[in-house]
Amino acid sequence: MIFESYAVLASFLGTSVEFIEALTIILAVGTIRGWKSSLSGAAAAIIILTILVAGIGTSLVQIVHIFWVQLLVGLFMLLFGIRWLRKAILRYSGLKAIHDEAESYQSELERQKKAGNVGKGIDSFGFMTSLSITFLEGMEAIFIVITLGTSSTKSGLMQNTIIGALAAVVVVLLAGLLLRQPLIKIPENTMKFIVGVMLTSFGAFWVGEAFEVQWPQSDLSIVYLSASLLVFSWLTVRYIKSKLKQAKGGKQNESTINAMGVNR
């Protein structure tokens, strides 16, 4: 039960993060190029992505031996999770700028305005913009869904992760269309941090499963891995912040000394 809930939650959160970014572009396209063009492009991409998940995911479970599924899925998820977690740590420690959806929205508005007059019916530029961004962001969501869904032979897991992903798409798109503005109040960077921790922990667990590691308390070990990684990440952020503060203080002291003309 813990395993299934963890997988569905990771699928929901991971897909939500990806589609929050896609939503920003979809809203900008709809505002400038028309909602028919914007929503048609996004809908076309979602249909393509759903077919890919259903087709590829089911085939992998049926064709590939469970050892290779667990090993490859674990490795890919581990690498993918570490990439997300690394970005989150850099952002929260101050080494990388926090992603700003409002800024992205304004930039896309300007780009859409510069694209020329809006075409009659479905505007091709707006349609392709929405389709491409939804497809590109959705590909990362597909990776999460397929790896989570194929990481076990437990019946219904793939269907559950797909349902979690589709629920995320519906929630994000409905919220965006009702508000008609980017979801800037949703803590997207925090969500990425959480998903990074979850995917990294999940990946480590399945690499261990492939090599028949005897995890204490079986599936519950995923929770322990996640908690340990979260604490480690938090300590890493605190450590980097303290080093940056010391470095900044050192530069300020050096500037003061130079201004006073004092020889060291």
Side-chain angles (χ1 to χ4, degrees):
M1 184 64 181
I2 292 175
F3 180 89
E4 289 87 344
S5 301
Y6 192 98
V8 173
L9 180 60
S11 176
F12 179 85
L13 291 177
T15 303
S16 296
V17 169
E18 297 298 344
F19 274 86
I20 285 173
E21 295 183 5
L23 175 67
T24 301
I25 308 301
I26 293 170
L27 289 173
V29 173
T31 301
I32 305 300
R33 315 298 296 185
W35 293 104
K36 185 177 181 180
S37 302
S38 178
L39 296 179
S40 297
I46 291 171
I47 292 171
I48 296 171
L49 292 169
T50 303
I51 293 172
L52 285 174
V53 172
I56 297 174
T58 304
S59 300
L60 282 175
V61 173
Q62 294 175 347
I63 296 173
V64 183
H65 189 274
I66 186 61
F67 168 79
W68 293 109
V69 170
Q70 290 177 335
L71 180 60
L72 294 176
V73 163
L75 286 173
F76 279 119
M77 198 178 301
L78 188 60
L79 294 173
F80 197 74
I82 288 173
R83 184 170 71 90
W84 272 31
L85 190 56
R86 175 181 172 275
K87 285 184 179 179
I89 289 174
L90 290 175
R91 283 171 175 157
Y92 275 99
S93 62
L95 291 174
K96 187 178 178 68
I98 296 290
H99 184 72
D100 189 343
E101 288 300 331
E103 183 179 342
S104 298
Y105 179 70
Q106 291 300 323
S107 297
E108 186 59 30
L109 282 178
E110 292 302 317
R111 194 176 80 91
Q112 293 297 318
K113 289 176 182 178
K114 293 177 181 178
N117 296 327
V118 178
K120 294 181 179 180
I122 294 180
D123 179 75
S124 59
F125 185 81
F127 177 86
M128 290 307 301
T129 300
S130 287
L131 187 148
S132 60
I133 189 62
T134 305
F135 185 80
L136 289 173
E137 295 293 347
M139 284 301 294
E140 291 201 19
I142 272 188
F143 178 86
I144 295 172
V145 172
I146 289 179
T147 50
L148 289 169
T150 57
S151 59
S152 174
T153 55
K154 293 182 180 182
S155 61
L157 186 60
M158 175 60 76
Q159 289 79 1
N160 288 339
T161 54
I162 291 175
I163 290 172
L166 289 175
V169 173
V170 171
V171 170
V172 170
L173 290 180
L174 279 179
L177 293 174
L178 289 174
L179 295 173
R180 295 292 181 92
Q181 61 182 0
L183 304 181
I184 57 177
K185 292 186 178 180
I186 292 180
E188 181 189 349
N189 294 290
T190 301
M191 290 173 66
K192 285 184 177 180
F193 205 132
I194 294 171
V195 174
V197 168
M198 294 181 75
L199 293 181
T200 303
S201 304
F202 213 80
F205 178 84
W206 281 114
V207 169
E209 283 285 290
F211 290 104
E212 299 184 355
V213 172
Q214 298 300 313
W215 295 104
Q217 295 183 294
S218 188
D219 292 352
L220 194 59
S221 296
I222 299 176
V223 178
Y224 301 148
L225 285 170
S226 297
S228 301
L229 189 57
L230 186 61
V231 171
F232 174 78
S233 300
W234 178 74
L235 291 174
T236 301
V237 170
R238 292 289 300 271
Y239 175 78
I240 294 174
K241 280 186 173 181
S242 66
K243 288 296 181 181
L244 288 175
K245 188 176 181 180
Q246 290 176 12
K248 186 177 180 181
K251 289 181 180 179
Q252 288 177 342
N253 291 335
E254 183 178 352
S255 298
T256 302
I257 292 172
N258 291 335
M260 294 174 64
V262 178
N263 295 323
R264 289 177 293 173

